[in-house]
């Protein structure tokens, strides 16, 4: 056997590369998992910080509204802040916020009083605003308590249909309980709210004002609810600008006098001309 053949026989066989060990993840997979974990931790930390900042800012704004209206600490006020509170709070400014006073006293009834605030600046109880508007909304039950005398609430209740306030009437009689309703369109003039009849429902049939007038000979168009001065039910700093039925609620639009909003004079009851 030749020398070259002997050397060849002494060499070990060449190893062929096999598949990677499935028990050991590749470096790229480890980096991807680590990146996902870090992103999840960062998002969680950011969400937690935003929740804490938002809750603190909501309490501050609620306290401002509560003080301006001279409401007790037990008064519930819901606050919604536009945008990220975490980015706005350090600068002491919020682009916009909405505050709703739940069950706000309104004469013999309660209502939800909402404020839309723009450009809040300051802190420590000393806040300024670029703009402020509001609205008072009443549910059917709240409107019944406001518009219907206490002694008549068993027979009359308030509801809403389209743009109308509907007074449902239920009266006992010799032939059983008689039911009907009167639909009235609200009006606002010189600070007072009134309503004129738009239709009457009796015996399941809806009659227009003209049809009722033709049947009874009476001038139903002249019948209207006694005007109500809403200004007397609200602080003087809140001025009624319009009323309407919207989303199954009676809605009173308000303009707010920023100069007197947080003053003793602005907290006094208003009046109508």
């Amino acid at each position: 056997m030749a020398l070259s053949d002997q050397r060849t026989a002494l060499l070990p066989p060449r190893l062929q590369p096999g598949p990677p060990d499935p028990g050991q993840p590749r470096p790229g997979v480890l980096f991807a998992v680590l990146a996902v974990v870090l992103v999840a931790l960062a998002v969680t930390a950011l969400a937690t910080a935003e929740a804490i900042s938002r809750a603190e800012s909501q309490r501050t704004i609620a306290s401002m509204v509560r003080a301006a209206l001279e409401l007790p600490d037990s008064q519930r006020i819901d606050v919604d802040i536009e945008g990220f509170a975490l980015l706005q709070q350090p600068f002491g400014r919020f682009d916009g916020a909405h505050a709703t006073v739940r069950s706000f006293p309104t004469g013999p009834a309660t209502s939800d009083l909402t404020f839309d605030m723009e450009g809040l600046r300051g802190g420590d109880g000393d806040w300024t605003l670029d703009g402020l508007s509001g609205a008072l909304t009443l549910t059917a039950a709240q409107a019944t308590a406001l518009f219907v005398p206490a002694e008549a609430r068993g027979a009359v209740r308030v509801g809403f249909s389209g743009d109308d306030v509907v007074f449902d009437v239920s009266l006992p009689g010799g032939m059983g309980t008689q039911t009907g309703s009167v639909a009235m369109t609200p009006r606002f003039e010189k600070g007072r709210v009134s309503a004129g009849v738009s239709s009457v429902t009796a015996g399941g049939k809806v009659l227009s004002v003209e049809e009722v007038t033709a049947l009874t000979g009476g001038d139903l168009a002249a019948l209207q609810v006694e005007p109500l001065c809403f200004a007397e039910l609200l602080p003087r700093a809140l001025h009624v600008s319009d009323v309407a039925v919207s989303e199954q609620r009676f809605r009173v639009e308000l303009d707010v006098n920023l100069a007197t909003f947080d003053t003793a004079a602005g907290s006094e009851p208003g009046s109508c001309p």
Side-chain angles (χ1 to χ4, degrees):
M1 181 174 58
L3 181 60
S4 60
D5 294 336
Q6 293 177 356
R7 291 178 178 177
T8 301
L10 294 176
L11 292 176
R14 182 176 298 176
L15 298 177
Q16 298 295 327
D21 185 354
Q24 297 181 351
R26 298 178 181 177
V29 175
L30 290 176
F31 283 128
V33 172
L34 180 60
V36 170
V37 171
L38 291 176
V39 169
L41 290 175
V43 170
T44 301
L46 181 62
T48 301
E50 167 66 16
I52 294 173
S53 177
R54 179 172 293 272
E56 181 181 346
S57 301
Q58 288 171 332
R59 285 193 295 268
T60 300
I61 295 173
S63 296
M64 177 193 71
V65 175
R66 191 176 287 111
L69 296 177
E70 298 184 349
L71 298 172
D73 293 340
S74 59
Q75 178 68 59
R76 177 187 167 189
I77 300 178
D78 298 334
V79 177
D80 180 35
I81 298 173
E82 297 179 1
F84 289 98
L86 183 63
L87 300 179
Q88 301 178 75
Q89 186 186 39
F91 300 98
R93 175 186 172 88
F94 298 95
D95 294 333
H98 312 279
T100 300
V101 183
R102 301 295 183 184
S103 301
F104 179 75
T106 310
T110 61
S111 61
D112 285 347
L113 177 60
T114 299
F115 292 106
D116 298 320
M117 297 170 277
E118 299 178 2
L120 287 80
R121 298 186 303 276
D124 298 327
D126 184 18
W127 288 81
T128 60
L129 300 95
D130 293 339
L132 180 62
S133 59
L136 198 74
T137 58
L138 295 96
T139 63
Q142 291 170 329
T144 299
L146 181 61
F147 295 126
V148 180
E151 61 274 13
R153 289 173 195 163
V156 181
R157 68 177 186 272
V158 174
F160 306 111
S161 177
D163 297 330
D164 291 337
V165 178
V166 179
F167 292 85
D168 292 316
V169 182
S170 178
L171 298 174
M175 299 180 63
T177 302
Q178 303 299 312
T179 61
S181 64
V182 178
M184 308 189 79
T185 305
R187 304 189 186 114
F188 178 72
E189 186 177 5
K190 296 181 180 180
R192 299 178 184 273
V193 178
S194 63
V197 177
S198 60
S199 67
V200 173
T201 300
K205 183 178 181 181
V206 180
L207 303 174
S208 66
V209 172
E210 293 75 17
E211 290 173 326
V212 175
T213 300
L215 289 172
T216 63
D219 185 9
L220 194 61
L223 178 63
Q224 64 176 12
V225 172
E226 183 70 21
L228 173 66
C229 178
F230 248 102
E232 296 176 349
L233 309 177
L234 301 171
R236 188 176 297 275
L238 306 180
H239 303 280
V240 180
S241 60
D242 198 8
V243 299
V245 174
S246 176
E247 298 179 352
Q248 291 296 299
R249 284 175 173 254
F250 187 79
R251 183 178 178 89
V252 181
E253 299 291 344
L254 302 171
D255 292 329
V256 184
N257 187 334
L258 282 173
T260 62
F261 180 64
D262 57 353
T263 66
S267 299
E268 296 177 357
S271 61
C272 291

